[in-house]
Amino acid sequence: MGEFQPYAVYDQDSDAIYVMLSDADVERSTSIDDFRIIDYSASGKVVGVEFLGVGGGVDLSDIPYRNTVERLINELNLGIKIFA
């Protein structure tokens, strides 16, 4: 089995992007605001980040692994505006 590769997926129906950074199980989630949620494993490792309402853009301020998250969102080729 190969090493986990981070990825992002877009859900058109909910206008949301989920960036999967780890294949660990999610133990808890923390909302940064109404549009950004970070999922953590039991050990405190960031598992993923969910962005809601991405049609208006994505705010990456205070997001862990910002560069990786930005790269993965851009790889979706959706033309989503990135803030911060």
Side-chain angles (χ1 to χ4, degrees):
M1 189 164 139
E3 183 179 328
F4 176 81
Q5 294 295 315
Y7 63 92
V9 293
Y10 174 67
D11 182 323
Q12 185 174 2
D13 293 335
S14 60
D15 192 31
I17 291 175
Y18 191 78
V19 178
M20 191 77 164
L21 298 168
S22 164
D23 60 354
D25 292 333
V26 174
E27 177 70 22
R28 66 181 175 87
S29 300
T30 301
S31 294
I32 295 177
D33 53 33
D34 291 340
F35 301 99
R36 302 176 299 157
I37 302 160
I38 301 175
D39 292 332
Y40 297 93
S41 69
S43 67
K45 181 178 181 177
V46 176
V47 175
V49 184
E50 184 172 17
F51 298 94
L52 307 173
V54 299
V58 172
D59 181 0
L60 295 183
S61 61
D62 304 320
I63 296 295
Y65 306 104
R66 180 192 188 284
N67 291 337
T68 300
V69 170
E70 182 173 5
R71 177 180 56 80
L72 293 169
I73 290 172
N74 285 331
E75 285 178 3
L76 293 172
N77 294 316
L78 299 172
I80 293 171
K81 186 168 183 171
I82 304 280
F83 300 102

